[in-house]
Amino acid sequence: MNVLKMTDIKKSFGGNEVLKGISFHVDKGEVVSIIGTSGGGKSTLLRCATLLETIDDGTISYMGEDVTYYDQNGKLCYAKDLNHFKKFFGLVFQNFNLFPHFSVLKNVMDAPVTVQGRDKAEVKEECMKLLNKMGLGDKADAYPFELSGGQQQRVSIVRALAMKPDILFFDEPTSALDPELTGEVLKVIKALADEKMTMVIVTHEMAFAKAVSDRVVFIDGGIIAEEGAPEEVFGNTKNERTKQFLQSYND
């Protein structure tokens, strides 16, 4: 089943056409890595999928329910209750986006309690389990400024998981981290992949994308230039543009 389906997505900023008709889907339990040049449209696609940007054209659906549709005049419309769709996904940003004045535990409990209206004691128990699983149980009362970048990113992953999403999006989750801390965050994402968490990862970490993905999507110049299993894209690409891109990483 498609957790997410995006069809013929177009998005421009002013006169700059960033997405030029991208069709993209993610199935339950699948890990999809999106790679590509800076400015190629990767993060814009993610922002459109997570409703942070509105699309100019195309359709988006979660779990078979349409987020966008066309009215009888052919005008693109968004569903009225976008909060309904936001419960399907979690998003982990590159810069953590934690509330500095909240403790770690309050950061991860806040949305399940205030947005989803769930029982506070139950949420606290679940969040502590998640923090312990991520090796952060002893940091529950700490504040973000007391944590390393890797710890902050692990907290933001716990915060996304606490919402019990059907799909988790990562927008270059390690780009703000040094190499040592990068490894610690990638280990957490790999563990989630092993548990069959449905994920979309925009990343510059090619070895990681190769190791963890079921499918790799190479976006270049606002289109999907290549898509396939990691061994095809990394080991047997026929696409000249993909070859050049990967070459620049291997040099």
Side-chain angles (χ1 to χ4, degrees), residues 83-153:
N83 284 335
H84 167 70
F85 292 97
K86 287 176 182 174
K87 72 181 186 199
F88 291 125
F89 60 80
L91 177 58
V92 178
F93 297 92
Q94 49 185 288
N95 294 323
F96 326 133
N97 284 26
L98 298 172
F99 294 115
H101 55 295
F102 283 2
S103 68
V104 164
L105 185 59
K106 187 159 168 51
N107 259 291
V108 298
M109 282 181 63
D110 188 55
V113 172
T114 59
V115 178
Q116 294 179 331
R118 283 158 54 197
D119 177 70
K120 199 169 179 180
E122 184 189 307
V123 168
K124 183 175 181 179
E125 189 183 332
E126 282 175 16
C127 288
M128 280 309 301
K129 270 188 197 157
L130 284 169
L131 287 169
N132 282 319
K133 187 175 164 185
M134 298 282 181
L136 293 164
D138 60 337
K139 302 292 183 190
D141 297 325
Y143 285 82
F145 76 90
E146 300 175 281
L147 308 179
S148 71
Q151 289 170 330
Q152 288 187 57
Q153 191 59 296

Side-chain angles (χ1 to χ4, degrees), residues 202-222:
V202 169
T203 185
H204 284 303
E205 302 284 340
M206 295 303 135
F208 175 71
K210 191 175 180 178
V212 82
S213 312
D214 297 300
R215 191 154 44 93
V216 175
V217 176
F218 172 54
I219 293 183
D220 184 54

Side-chain angles (χ1 to χ4, degrees), residues 216 226-239 242 246:
V216 175
E226 186 163 8
E227 179 174 3
E231 52 274 20
E232 288 166 21
V233 174
F234 290 108
N236 194 27
T237 180
K238 307 281 188 284
N239 183 303
T242 315
L246 292 174

Side-chain angles (χ1 to χ4, degrees), residues 148-151 153-154 174 176-186:
S148 71
Q151 289 170 330
Q153 191 59 296
R154 280 185 282 153
T174 58
L177 304 176
D178 65 37
E180 193 180 335
L181 299 176
T182 292
E184 132 193 349
V185 171
L186 295 182

Side-chain angles (χ1 to χ4, degrees), residues 8-141:
D8 204 22
I9 302 297
K10 293 176 182 161
K11 174 68 182 175
S12 295
F13 295 99
N16 181 21
E17 196 180 9
V18 180
L19 302 178
K20 302 174 181 176
I22 284 185
S23 294
F24 174 75
H25 72 278
V26 187
D27 294 330
K28 190 163 180 52
E30 192 177 29
V31 178
V32 180
S33 286
I34 301 178
I35 62 171
T37 51
S38 294
K42 307 183 301 293
S43 290
T44 300
L45 182 68
L46 213 64
R47 289 178 69 81
C48 290
T50 54
L51 313 179
L52 293 170
E53 296 283 358
T54 54
I55 58 174
D56 300 331
D57 215 348
T59 55
I60 302 173
S61 65
Y62 276 98
M63 308 298 280
E65 296 182 49
D66 291 336
V67 181
T68 65
Y69 62 94
Y70 289 90
D71 68 13
Q72 63 264 43
N73 301 318
K75 181 174 177 279
L76 178 73
C77 304
Y78 271 79
K80 284 194 170 57
D81 183 11
L82 289 183
N83 284 335
H84 167 70
F85 292 97
K86 287 176 182 174
K87 72 181 186 199
F88 291 125
F89 60 80
L91 177 58
V92 178
F93 297 92
Q94 49 185 288
N95 294 323
F96 326 133
N97 284 26
L98 298 172
F99 294 115
H101 55 295
F102 283 2
S103 68
V104 164
L105 185 59
K106 187 159 168 51
N107 259 291
V108 298
M109 282 181 63
D110 188 55
V113 172
T114 59
V115 178
Q116 294 179 331
R118 283 158 54 197
D119 177 70
K120 199 169 179 180
E122 184 189 307
V123 168
K124 183 175 181 179
E125 189 183 332
E126 282 175 16
C127 288
M128 280 309 301
K129 270 188 197 157
L130 284 169
L131 287 169
N132 282 319
K133 187 175 164 185
M134 298 282 181
L136 293 164
D138 60 337
K139 302 292 183 190
D141 297 325

